[in-house]
Amino acid sequence: MLINPTIDMLRELGLYGMATAFLELDAQSEARGLEHGEWLAMLLDREATMRRQKRFEARARAATLRHDAQIENADFRAARGLDRNLFMALAGCDWIRKHHSLLITGPAGVGKSWLACALGHKACREDFSVAYHRVPRLFAALALARGDGRYGRILKQLAKTDLLILDDWGPEKLNDNQRRDVLENIEDRYERRSTIVTSQLPLDRWYEIIANPTLADVILDRLVHNAYRIDLTGESMRKQRSPKASETAQA
């Protein structure tokens, strides 16, 4: 049997996973004893796997996560108050399917951004759209967009993202435009999409950041309602892993 025409047809149809699997199976003598249905099942499985991988890669590129973090590499040994059971439950992504949110607080260096990115990476694997933004840079981008007519389009794009990661919230107080930006985002996403917010400040000080009691009540009511919380403690993990810290420990 001439397989080249079949391979060419598969590629022409965009079935590159099936084409690759066809060549591999044809090169294996033991595969020639398989039934037609078994061949087809293996070809389809390869095609589906390749398409899932391509979707993940596209979502990961679009997410622009700050860290190349994966949940399998999470450090539960560090003394920072990370609940393994809660984190692994969040890694299942059911909270995203149910449109809940997650608030991660703790001092600098305890891994807030890393954990958020690890959950974002897993969400990409689960075929959710993800967008990562450092809050100060997002405010700056929205301020520019407000002047050149892109503001509404950016808000719409943020609103339809399955998981929005807002990293490094605070400690500077918000101005009027920034309060509006936050309110618009939270209103658009409330009970429709999921949001991760990380901050060095404890939750009870977020009113100070918003700096408007009325809007603070509205924003925090929607943001905190049905949100999971991870409150980290302890010293910076960067300090613990620094060369000097290692030398001191060995001395």
Side-chain angles (χ1 to χ4, degrees):
M1 173 184 176
L2 295 176
I3 68 169
N4 287 339
T6 301
I7 297 300
D8 291 341
M9 181 64 72
L10 289 172
R11 289 172 175 166
E12 184 179 335
L13 293 171
L15 301 172
Y16 299 103
M18 292 184 71
T20 301
F22 196 113
L23 288 170
E24 291 176 357
L25 286 172
D26 185 68
Q28 300 173 15
S29 58
E30 60 271 20
R32 292 169 188 158
L34 297 175
E35 298 290 337
H36 293 311
E38 294 174 308
W39 263 72
L40 180 59
M42 296 177 75
L43 297 182
L44 289 172
D45 182 68
R46 175 64 69 85
E47 182 66 31
T49 299
M50 180 174 285
R51 293 193 178 199
R52 282 195 298 269
Q53 181 63 23
K54 286 184 176 180
R55 284 198 303 271
F56 160 71
E57 291 171 356
R59 292 199 181 282
R61 284 194 302 270
T64 62
L65 297 172
R66 179 179 179 180
H67 300 285
D68 182 18
Q70 300 182 30
I71 58 170
E72 293 82 3
N73 296 327
D75 185 356
F76 297 103
R77 297 171 299 175
R80 53 178 173 163
L82 178 59
D83 185 323
R84 176 195 289 266
N85 292 332
L86 172 59
F87 184 74
M88 296 311 296
L90 292 171
C93 295
D94 281 342
W95 62 286
I96 301 177
R97 297 181 182 93
K98 296 176 181 177
H99 307 145
H100 295 317
S101 292
L102 171 64
L103 313 178
I104 307 177
T105 59
V110 293
K112 300 182 298 296
S113 298
W114 193 97
L115 294 173
C117 288
L119 292 172
H121 182 276
K122 183 58 163 56
C124 289
R125 288 209 170 276
E126 294 290 324
D127 211 21
F128 292 107
S129 59
V130 178
Y132 169 93
H133 293 280
R134 286 194 66 249
V135 172
R137 291 183 181 176
L138 179 59
F139 282 148
L142 289 172
L144 288 175
R146 189 178 285 106
D148 62 21
R150 294 179 297 114
Y151 185 76
R153 187 166 72 249
I154 292 178
L155 286 182
K156 188 175 294 186
Q157 184 177 9
L158 292 172
K160 69 181 183 180
T161 302
D162 294 321
L163 176 61
L164 175 63
I165 301 175
L166 299 176
D167 193 17
D168 205 14
W169 164 269
E172 296 84 4
K173 291 183 179 181
L174 306 184
N175 61 36
D176 289 339
N177 283 334
Q178 291 169 344
R179 279 190 287 270
R180 178 188 171 189
D181 294 340
V182 174
L183 180 60
E184 292 288 346
N185 270 288
I186 298 305
E187 283 282 6
D188 286 343
R189 302 182 60 77
Y190 180 58
E191 294 188 336
R192 298 184 183 91
R193 298 288 189 271
S194 296
T195 306
I196 296 179
V197 181
T198 78
S199 177
Q200 293 185 35
L201 297 181
L203 187 60
D204 58 11
R205 292 191 57 194
W206 289 14
Y207 274 85
E208 300 175 24
I209 300 174
I210 299 171
N212 179 306
T214 302
L215 290 183
D217 284 336
V218 175
I219 291 170
L220 293 181
D221 176 69
R222 286 156 176 72
L223 189 59
V224 177
H225 179 64
N226 286 335
Y228 291 91
R229 292 181 57 180
I230 296 178
D231 300 313
L232 301 175
T233 58
E235 292 187 344
S236 170
M237 296 178 69
R238 301 186 191 98
K239 179 179 178 181
Q240 296 173 20
R241 294 168 180 169
S242 67
K244 288 185 178 180
S246 299
E247 291 169 6
T248 302
Q250 293 173 359

